[in-house]
Amino acid sequence: MTTADDHVELVTELVRSLETRILDPLEILLTSAEPLGPVRARLRVEAEVWAAQLLGPDRERAVQTAARLIGVLFPGDGPFDPPAAWWRTALGRAVARTGGHPTATAVPYSTAGAMLGIPRQGVHDLVKRGKLGRDPGGGVTTSSIRDRLDRP
């Protein structure tokens, strides 16, 4: 279960990221901030909605919202493979809870630890005790990480 603090932190992070990656460069190109005022206001409202969708009970909607945001915030030709530190952000934690890793069925122990917010040794212990699934090719299954995060 998430808290109001999780929601506020996620909204703040989304607004900051979208302003930094999209609106600020556009403002530089337009040489005037005036036309972006209404867009900034709308962005704050939409960030509230996106945060509610990411943290809400509808997993399908959360996964779709996460995919849209990741596509806009982290465009690229290759699959999305964020660094371990990204999983400690508000958006990273929300994505881990809702859909797991967006492009991988298994991740290294260090990434699993970042997704779970625990040290790598903690991941080893959970795998050893059968609390997390070990992938036959090595690493930890993302489905077992998501299941672990779903626990109250």
Side-chain angles (χ1 to χ4, degrees), residues 1 27 34 39 66-67 71-72 127 131 141:
M1 214 56 181
E27 188 175 78
E34 186 179 317
V39 176
V72 168
V127 169
K131 306 288 183 178
T141 63

Side-chain angles (χ1 to χ4, degrees), residues 49-64:
V49 173
W50 296 325
Q53 291 172 343
L54 285 166
L55 300 173
D58 185 342
R59 180 166 292 196
E60 184 176 330
R61 176 170 276 165
V63 169
Q64 290 171 352

